[in-house]
Coordinates of all heavy atoms in Angstrom, one line a residue:
K496 N 18.2 24.7 -32.0 CA 18.5 25.2 -30.6 C 19.9 25.2 -30.3 O 20.4 26.1 -29.6 CB 17.7 24.4 -29.5 CG 16.2 24.5 -29.7 CD 15.5 25.4 -28.8 CE 14.2 25.3 -28.9 NZ 13.4 26.5 -28.7
V497 N 20.6 24.2 -30.9 CA 22.0 24.0 -30.4 C 22.9 24.9 -31.3 O 24.1 25.1 -30.9 CB 22.4 22.5 -30.6 CG1 24.0 22.2 -30.4 CG2 21.7 21.5 -29.6
G498 N 22.4 25.3 -32.4 CA 23.2 26.2 -33.2 C 23.8 25.6 -34.4 O 24.8 26.1 -35.0
L499 N 23.3 24.4 -34.8 CA 23.8 23.7 -35.9 C 23.0 24.2 -37.1 O 22.1 23.5 -37.6 CB 23.7 22.2 -35.9 CG 24.5 21.6 -34.6 CD1 24.2 20.2 -34.4 CD2 25.9 21.7 -34.8
T500 N 23.5 25.4 -37.7 CA 22.7 26.0 -38.7 C 22.8 25.2 -40.1 O 21.8 25.3 -40.9 CB 23.1 27.4 -39.0 OG1 24.6 27.3 -39.3 CG2 22.9 28.3 -37.9
E501 N 23.8 24.4 -40.3 CA 24.0 23.6 -41.6 C 22.8 22.6 -41.6 O 22.3 22.3 -42.6 CB 25.3 22.9 -41.5 CG 25.6 22.2 -42.8 CD 27.0 21.6 -42.8 OE1 28.0 22.3 -42.5 OE2 27.0 20.4 -43.1
I502 N 22.6 21.9 -40.4 CA 21.6 20.9 -40.4 C 20.2 21.6 -40.4 O 19.3 21.2 -41.0 CB 21.7 20.0 -39.2 CG1 23.0 19.2 -39.2 CG2 20.5 19.1 -38.9 CD1 23.3 18.3 -38.0
K503 N 20.0 22.7 -39.7 CA 18.8 23.4 -39.7 C 18.3 23.9 -40.9 O 17.1 23.8 -41.4 CB 18.9 24.6 -38.6 CG 17.6 25.4 -38.6 CD 17.9 26.7 -37.8 CE 16.8 27.7 -38.0 NZ 17.1 29.1 -38.0
N504 N 19.2 24.4 -41.8 CA 19.0 24.9 -43.1 C 19.1 23.9 -44.3 O 18.8 24.3 -45.5 CB 19.9 26.0 -43.4 CG 19.7 27.3 -42.4 OD1 18.6 27.4 -41.9 ND2 20.7 28.0 -42.1
S505 N 19.4 22.7 -44.0 CA 19.5 21.6 -45.1 C 18.0 21.4 -45.8 O 17.1 21.1 -45.0 CB 19.9 20.3 -44.4 OG 19.9 19.3 -45.3
K506 N 18.1 21.6 -47.0 CA 16.8 21.4 -47.8 C 16.4 19.9 -47.7 O 15.2 19.6 -47.6 CB 16.9 21.7 -49.2 CG 17.2 23.2 -49.4 CD 15.9 23.9 -49.3 CE 16.2 25.4 -49.5 NZ 15.2 26.3 -49.1
E507 N 17.3 18.9 -47.8 CA 17.0 17.5 -47.9 C 16.4 17.1 -46.5 O 15.3 16.5 -46.4 CB 18.3 16.7 -47.9 CG 18.0 15.2 -48.0 CD 19.2 14.4 -48.2 OE1 20.3 15.0 -48.3 OE2 19.1 13.1 -48.4
I508 N 16.8 17.6 -45.4 CA 16.3 17.3 -44.0 C 14.9 18.0 -43.9 O 14.1 17.4 -43.3 CB 17.4 17.7 -42.9 CG1 18.6 16.8 -42.9 CG2 16.7 17.6 -41.5 CD1 19.6 17.2 -41.9
E509 N 14.8 19.2 -44.4 CA 13.6 19.9 -44.3 C 12.5 19.1 -45.1 O 11.3 18.9 -44.6 CB 13.7 21.2 -45.0 CG 12.4 22.1 -44.8 CD 12.6 23.4 -45.3 OE1 13.7 24.0 -45.3 OE2 11.6 24.0 -45.9
L510 N 12.9 18.5 -46.3 CA 11.9 17.7 -47.0 C 11.6 16.5 -46.2 O 10.4 16.0 -46.4 CB 12.4 17.3 -48.4 CG 12.5 18.5 -49.4 CD1 13.3 18.0 -50.7 CD2 11.1 18.9 -49.7
L511 N 12.5 15.8 -45.7 CA 12.3 14.6 -44.9 C 11.3 14.8 -43.7 O 10.7 13.9 -43.1 CB 13.6 13.9 -44.4 CG 14.4 13.3 -45.5 CD1 15.8 13.0 -45.0 CD2 13.8 12.2 -46.1
G512 N 11.4 16.0 -43.1 CA 10.6 16.3 -41.9 C 9.2 16.7 -42.2 O 8.5 16.9 -41.3
Q513 N 8.9 16.9 -43.6 CA 7.5 17.2 -43.8 C 6.6 16.0 -44.0 O 7.1 14.9 -44.2 CB 7.5 17.9 -45.2 CG 8.1 19.2 -45.4 CD 8.1 19.8 -46.8 OE1 7.8 19.2 -47.7 NE2 8.7 21.0 -46.9
K514 N 5.4 16.2 -43.7 CA 4.3 15.1 -43.7 C 4.2 14.6 -45.0 O 4.2 15.3 -45.9 CB 3.1 15.5 -43.0 CG 3.1 15.8 -41.5 CD 1.8 16.1 -41.0 CE 1.9 16.3 -39.5 NZ 0.5 16.7 -38.9
T515 N 4.1 13.3 -45.1 CA 3.9 12.6 -46.4 C 2.4 12.5 -46.8 O 1.7 11.9 -45.8 CB 4.5 11.2 -46.4 OG1 6.0 11.4 -46.1 CG2 4.4 10.5 -47.8
S516 N 2.0 13.0 -47.9 CA 0.6 12.8 -48.3 C 0.4 11.3 -48.8 O 0.9 10.9 -49.8 CB 0.3 13.8 -49.3 OG -1.1 13.5 -49.9

Side-chain angles (χ1 to χ4, degrees):
K496 297 265 189 213
V497 174
L499 300 172
T500 56
E501 183 179 312
I502 293 173
K503 177 189 169 211
N504 297 330
S505 171
K506 294 287 184 192
E507 184 178 4
I508 293 175
E509 186 177 328
L510 287 173
L511 290 172
Q513 293 177 354
K514 291 185 179 181
T515 303
S516 170

